[in-house]
Amino acid sequence: MGRPHQTLLSRTAIARAALDLIDDRGYEALTMRALADRLGVRGASLYNHIGSKDDILDAVSDLLDAEIDTTPLHHTPWPEGIAAYARGYRRVFQRHPNAIALVARRGVRTEGALKEYDTLLAALIGAGCDPALAAETAAALDFLVIGSALETYTAGFTRPPAAYRPAYPALADSLEAAARIDPAPTALDDRGFEFGLRMILGGLAQQLDAVRSD
């Protein structure tokens, strides 16, 4: 007779189960007991592969970082490369919106996250930014990406656009106009993200051109 089936544990398997748990039930649902139950093992067996809950969170961060494609940052021209990187970064957190709390509450500490930021900053410096401007631009991109993945602008308005009239005519006009361009539920959110991205990169390009012309 064969051996009874047992869950094969590893740091990666535990991290994947933890991320699945966060995706399904939210960041606050991640406890050692809930994770052990999800894996079908006793809680003590987790500690053969991880040191603490902090260690699990670092491993989950590693999984998220691995999903973010930084290869566009090596492409030229730089605005297209950084735009492609930002879109891919946003898609990761659109797939894992409950994990945004993990990013927000923990410092940048894993090797993958540190390497990602270093790659982005190197791309910005290579485009002509001084280190301070590179840091400001990286922060602006972070705010745009994480904010747009965390919050849906359109879904915040729970009434049909016309229902905001006559008390809020500018709001009604704007929502109706946006829906005429594309009525899909996420269309305005996507266009808002793209507009913000164009503003950041376009403004940066103008600033760099001004520095070169001095």
Side-chain angles (χ1 to χ4, degrees):
M1 295 179 63
R3 294 182 179 181
H5 173 74
Q6 292 184 333
T7 301
L8 295 177
L9 291 182
S10 66
R11 178 183 169 88
T12 300
I14 292 169
R16 175 56 60 190
L19 180 56
D20 289 344
L21 181 59
I22 291 170
D23 286 343
D24 291 345
R25 295 172 50 193
Y27 176 77
E28 300 295 343
L30 179 60
T31 64
M32 299 300 281
R33 174 175 291 183
L35 182 56
D37 288 346
R38 193 174 190 92
L39 288 163
V41 300
R42 297 191 179 200
S45 63
L46 297 177
Y47 291 102
N48 294 324
H49 305 276
I50 51 92
S52 64
K53 184 176 178 181
D54 268 354
D55 194 19
I56 292 174
L57 294 176
D58 283 346
V60 171
S61 294
D62 284 336
L63 288 180
L64 294 169
D65 292 330
E67 289 190 36
I68 300 172
D69 184 10
T70 59
T71 56
L73 295 174
H74 302 290
H75 296 169
T76 54
W78 66 265
E80 285 82 352
I82 292 175
Y85 157 77
R87 293 182 188 114
Y89 183 6
R90 180 178 181 238
R91 284 194 294 271
V92 169
F93 284 100
Q94 286 179 313
R95 290 193 294 269
H96 305 290
N98 290 337
I100 292 174
L102 170 62
V103 174
R105 296 180 188 186
R106 294 172 66 77
V108 181
R109 52 193 281 176
T110 63
E111 183 66 24
L114 291 166
K115 184 175 181 180
E116 178 194 338
Y117 279 106
D118 189 69
T119 303
L120 172 59
L121 290 164
L124 290 166
I125 292 169
C129 296
D130 63 52
L133 180 57
E136 292 167 8
T137 305
L141 289 168
D142 241 24
F143 297 147
L144 176 66
V145 169
I146 296 298
S148 67
L150 177 64
E151 182 181 12
T152 167
Y153 180 86
T154 310
F157 300 101
T158 56
R159 309 179 212 168
Y164 290 102
R165 199 184 308 280
Y168 311 104
L171 176 59
D173 287 346
S174 296
L175 293 177
E176 286 174 344
R180 284 195 295 272
I181 294 173
D182 188 338
T186 63
L188 179 55
D189 294 332
D190 292 340
R191 294 202 308 275
F193 169 78
E194 289 293 333
F195 180 73
L197 188 57
R198 288 196 304 273
M199 293 288 287
I200 291 171
L201 297 180
L204 178 60
Q206 289 182 349
Q207 191 164 345
L208 293 178
D209 286 344
V211 169
R212 294 187 189 104
S213 64
D214 285 346

